[in-house]
Amino acid sequence: MGARILIVEDSPLIVDAFRVLFTDAGYDVDAAETVAEAVERGTKTRADVMLLDLTLPDGNGLDIMQALKERDSLPRVTLAMTGHNDAASRRSCMDAGCADVLLKPVPIVELLRKIESHLA
Amino acid sequence: MTMADEEAASLLRKRVVSLEQISEEAQRTIDELRSRDELKTQFLSNISHDLRTPLAAIITHAEILRDGMLGELNTKQRDSIGGILSGGHQLLDMIDEILTYVRTASDQITLVRTHFSLPELVDQVRVLNHALAARKHLTIERLNGDDMPSIYADRDKVKHVLGNLIGNAIKFTNDGGRIWISFSRVGADGEMARVEVGDTGRGIARNHHELIFREFAQVDASPSRPHHGTGLGLAIARKLVELHAGTIWVESELGKGSRFFFTLPLYPAAD
């Protein structure tokens, strides 16, 4: 089984696209649409990589990192995904411990390359 | 007080009351317009975010297909996917432009200033636009600037302004034309950098020089216009330049090309 990836994203359309992508690339894929669901799934099985949307229906995606940290279940690598590229949100992601901040839609070649390099 | 005086005083009182009513009404109209404007901005922001998400999914799916992850494609299928991707990216650029406008219009933009080389940034933007220009056999030259001191500004925002002006120059210049960028120092002590983006394109009539910097304004706004866009590019450029305490303007005549200028302070403002 490949590395486990947890996709945290409230749009089923994006989740579907990522499922196809990461399953094909050999990852073990899991997904959550809310902060609560992400904390639950992330605690149940610790992910190697978490792809994190920042705006979720029940709160800020970065809160998930704190909750998983407290449960000793923080993924090895967290990549934040945002719809707008501004310095302030970039800084808050890096401060929260994200390995990188990516602007959606992330070109798939770049996304796969970044994840592989962070996992290496 | 004579009868005539009383009549005059009464008339005056009536006038004052009526002026007060007009003023109140005007204030109510201003408040209502302001609140409608805020609603419009909020609507644009929401709709743009909502448009962006399914579009991101379309682009990702198309890339998965293009890269053969679901099986090899033949040339025609690859070309067709290429069409979906280029259309998708064009739409994405327009949505992002609306989002940038919303953020400038609602003062949500904060400048992150650093020292950087303006000519180097221009060269980067030239490289980014090379393919687009080459398709129309246009040349983009930087005429000078090697001796320019570094500038203190928000690099990403200045890049946005340059990208916008150079993008417009490419759009509105016919095949085989020329685009150039040059620098000079202006102000009493040369404390401002002035950037010129010029082209040999179709030019802009004098009565449109102000209009083009207004949001949603396009010189040709008809549905059959040859160049489509949001009509926000120059409005955003103006806002970003003004945030830096600079100015932006155009010198142009119809049929004689255009020269866009903007100024930016070279040094941090003295407090």
Side-chain angles (χ1 to χ4, degrees), chain B residues 122-123 126 139-144 178-182:
Chain B
V122 164
D123 287 344
R126 282 169 60 213
T139 58
I140 311 179
E141 298 164 83
R142 173 165 71 80
L143 301 184
N144 61 1
R178 250 183 84 229
I179 296 165
W180 63 91
I181 299 104
S182 74

Side-chain angles (χ1 to χ4, degrees), chain A residues 9-11 13-14 16-18 20-21 24-25 82-88 91 103-109 112, chain B residues 49 52-61 63-70 89 92 96 99 103 110 112 156-157:
Chain A
E9 164 67 61
D10 67 332
S11 160
L13 288 171
I14 303 272
D16 283 351
F18 280 164
V20 175
L21 172 66
D24 188 82
T82 161
H84 46 83
N85 186 12
D86 71 285
R91 203 172 308 133
L103 184 67
K104 286 196 284 186
V106 192
I108 58 168
V109 176
L112 292 172
Chain B
H49 277 293
R52 220 177 178 285
T53 302
L55 187 55
I58 291 170
I59 289 174
T60 305
H61 276 297
E63 286 184 353
I64 291 169
L65 287 172
R66 179 201 59 193
D67 293 355
M69 300 183 100
L70 305 179
H89 279 289
L92 190 68
D96 283 346
L99 278 169
R103 295 172 67 221
T110 338
V112 182
D156 286 344
K157 309 292 184 295

Side-chain angles (χ1 to χ4, degrees), chain B residues 18 137 154 226 245:
Chain B
S18 131
H137 309 289
D154 186 320

Side-chain angles (χ1 to χ4, degrees), chain A residues 30-44:
Chain A
D30 197 2
E33 291 187 12
T34 61
V35 171
E37 201 186 340
V39 173
E40 189 207 314
R41 301 197 79 90
T43 311
K44 207 160 144 194

